[in-house]
Amino acid sequence: MVAQERELPISETTIIVLLVFLLVFFRGFSVFIQKRAITVGLKKNVTIVVMGDIGRSPRMQYHALSFAQNGWTVDFVGYDGVKPLDSIMNNPLIKIHHISHLWRFPDNFPKWLFILCTPIKVYLQILSLYWTLFMKTSRPDVMLVQNPPSIPTLMITQFVCWVRQTNLIIDWHNFGYTILGLRLGKDSLIVKFAKWYEKIYGGRAGAHLTVTSKMHRELMYNWEVQGPIVTLYDRPPTNFKRLELEEIHEFLTRLNLEKIVSEQTINSHFLPSSTSTSTLLTSKTSPTNPAKYRDDRPILIVSSTSWTADEDFSMLLQAAQICDQFAELCSKQDSNKKFPKLLFVITGEGPLKSKYVEEI
């Protein structure tokens, strides 16, 4: 007779006890490492989380550079894509960790299919982010996360910070539930759940950064978040500066903006003509003479955009039409009054670009 192998009984209670034991162990180990790091004087570390293309996240890149300039080591977590700034890539204190790049739903994606596929995407994001934050990064003194996206980022980072005994700071660029509402409608149950989720997990962070004072007030009075709130306006780094007139002339000559405009603009003949010694904004009487502004120069307006639903670019188009109507009205009242032309240079890639190009 062959003796039957006895199966080891593993109950659900045993599994739960093991999981609790592992959580307590990791949390206790994190406390030990934290105290040990303070004792031996190790560099402070920050983990910056962007559930998006790192190269297209200038604000978070500037955060990373600021931490590194102050002697912190930086673990930068996000999607691969556009190459980040050279100052990021060449900085020995900044280490980039790319997470799996999941698919992005197009804006014309059917609503019912979007609802079905989203849980799968969220589940894969959870696995990828947990693996990266627990296994690839050092234990941080601070974790800085960009919001949105809120789901599943806020829940995961809150849990990781609890286990690893660290502080969470949220950089509020927008509210995730409002962006979801643009696709599903603000009365959708999913959108209402997303708002509740964002308030619960976002409100418990140790500190909050906002891009506008209006968002600051919203968090303070309507969300009642824990921790201090600081408004940190977007601004260029110190190497950005206003060009001198000669530099403007040299830059526009090298860029050959006139050619770009003529190739991509409808009815570009409304702009002033240029010569070998002049640009759309500047001119020289000879190559050796100093540059000066042209009297007939247009107003050059440059804007970047990601062409997404939360960046309503139609506002700019409406403003341009209002300027047109105002100039026409003033010209009728005073024929000697002339208004400068407006030239918009819009850069960027995104899902709604073709829609707005058609409107333009």
Side-chain angles (χ1 to χ4, degrees):
M1 294 179 64
V2 178
Q4 293 184 351
E5 294 183 1
R6 298 180 60 186
E7 295 183 359
L8 294 176
I10 300 179
S11 64
E12 293 180 358
T13 304
T14 304
I15 295 175
I16 293 174
V17 170
L18 287 173
L19 289 175
V20 172
F21 172 77
L22 288 174
L23 284 177
V24 172
F25 173 78
F26 275 117
R27 188 170 169 85
F29 185 70
S30 296
V31 174
F32 170 77
I33 292 296
Q34 183 181 25
K35 292 181 178 179
R36 180 67 177 170
I38 295 173
T39 304
V40 300
L42 296 178
K43 286 182 179 292
K44 287 193 172 185
N45 175 266
V46 59
T47 296
I48 298 178
V49 181
V50 180
M51 291 299 282
D53 187 340
I54 291 178
R56 294 187 182 275
S57 304
R59 181 179 170 95
M60 304 307 285
Q61 291 185 72
Y62 295 154
H63 285 326
L65 287 173
S66 295
F67 275 109
Q69 288 166 2
N70 284 276
W72 289 54
T73 59
V74 181
D75 286 309
F76 206 161
V77 179
Y79 292 137
D80 192 9
V82 175
K83 181 184 176 183
L85 299 169
D86 288 338
S87 50
I88 294 281
M89 301 295 293
N90 300 328
N91 195 310
L93 295 178
I94 300 176
K95 186 176 182 180
I96 295 178
H97 306 271
H98 289 131
I99 53 181
S100 301
H101 209 310
L102 300 178
W103 65 89
R104 180 173 183 170
F105 300 115
D107 283 88
N108 58 354
F109 202 61
K111 183 177 178 180
W112 65 270
L113 200 55
F114 172 81
I115 295 174
L116 287 177
C117 294
T118 296
I120 301 173
K121 180 179 180 179
V122 170
Y123 179 72
L124 294 175
Q125 285 178 324
I126 289 173
L127 294 179
S128 178
L129 194 53
Y130 268 136
W131 175 261
T132 302
L133 294 180
F134 273 125
M135 306 305 294
K136 293 185 177 181
T137 64
S138 304
R139 196 208 73 84
D141 296 276
V142 172
M143 183 177 292
L144 176 62
V145 58
Q146 173 185 303
N147 184 73
S150 310
I151 302 174
T153 316
L154 295 183
M155 179 186 69
I156 294 174
T157 51
Q158 284 280 14
F159 179 73
V160 172
C161 286
W162 179 81
V163 172
R164 307 193 78 168
Q165 279 288 283
T166 189
N167 299 307
L168 177 65
I169 301 175
I170 299 177
D171 192 4
W172 296 83
H173 294 199
N174 207 327
F175 295 115
Y177 80 92
T178 60
I179 297 176
L180 189 62
L182 295 174
R183 180 187 288 272
L184 301 179
K186 64 180 181 179
D187 296 326
S188 167
L189 290 177
I190 296 177
V191 174
K192 291 179 180 179
F193 167 78
K195 183 178 182 180
W196 171 85
Y197 165 95
E198 196 167 7
K199 277 191 171 184
I200 291 296
Y201 289 103
R204 295 175 180 174
H208 309 266
L209 304 178
T210 65
V211 294
T212 63
S213 56
K214 185 176 181 180
M215 184 173 288
H216 183 137
R217 293 191 297 270
E218 176 70 15
L219 290 175
M220 178 179 292
Y221 298 116
N222 296 330
W223 285 47
E224 298 179 350
V225 299
Q226 300 175 14
I229 308 170
V230 177
T231 300
L232 196 61
Y233 296 108
D234 283 333
R235 64 178 185 179
T238 53
N239 59 312
F240 276 69
K241 66 182 183 69
R242 183 182 179 89
L243 297 179
E244 301 293 337
L245 185 54
E246 287 293 333
E247 293 174 315
I248 293 175
H249 182 84
E250 187 276 330
F251 171 72
L252 292 178
T253 301
R254 176 164 44 87
L255 184 64
N256 199 2
L257 184 60
E258 294 82 355
K259 181 180 178 182
I260 298 174
V261 169
S262 63
E263 290 176 348
Q264 301 190 25
T265 305
I266 302 173
N267 299 328
S268 60
H269 60 270
F270 82 98
L271 294 172
S273 59
S274 301
T275 64
S276 58
T277 58
S278 66
T279 69
L280 286 175
L281 304 182
T282 60
S283 65
K284 286 185 174 184
T285 54
S286 70
T288 56
N289 286 345
K292 64 177 183 178
Y293 282 118
R294 297 177 59 151
D295 294 332
D296 59 349
R297 68 184 183 278
I299 294 178
L300 176 61
I301 303 165
V302 182
S303 175
S304 60
T305 178
S306 56
W307 302 106
T308 51
D310 60 312
E311 294 185 28
D312 187 3
F313 222 73
S314 61
M315 294 174 63
L316 179 62
L317 303 182
Q318 293 167 7
Q321 290 176 328
I322 293 173
C323 286
D324 236 6
Q325 295 165 1
F326 180 75
E328 185 178 354
L329 179 63
C330 290
S331 297
K332 289 180 179 179
Q333 296 175 351
D334 185 356
S335 58
N336 295 323
K337 197 168 186 178
K338 300 295 183 182
F339 283 85
K341 309 292 186 182
L342 301 180
L343 173 60
F344 294 91
V345 176
I346 305 170
T347 67
E349 295 293 337
L352 295 181
K353 182 176 181 178
S354 57
K355 172 183 177 293
Y356 282 115
V357 167
E358 185 176 345
E359 287 188 24
I360 293 171

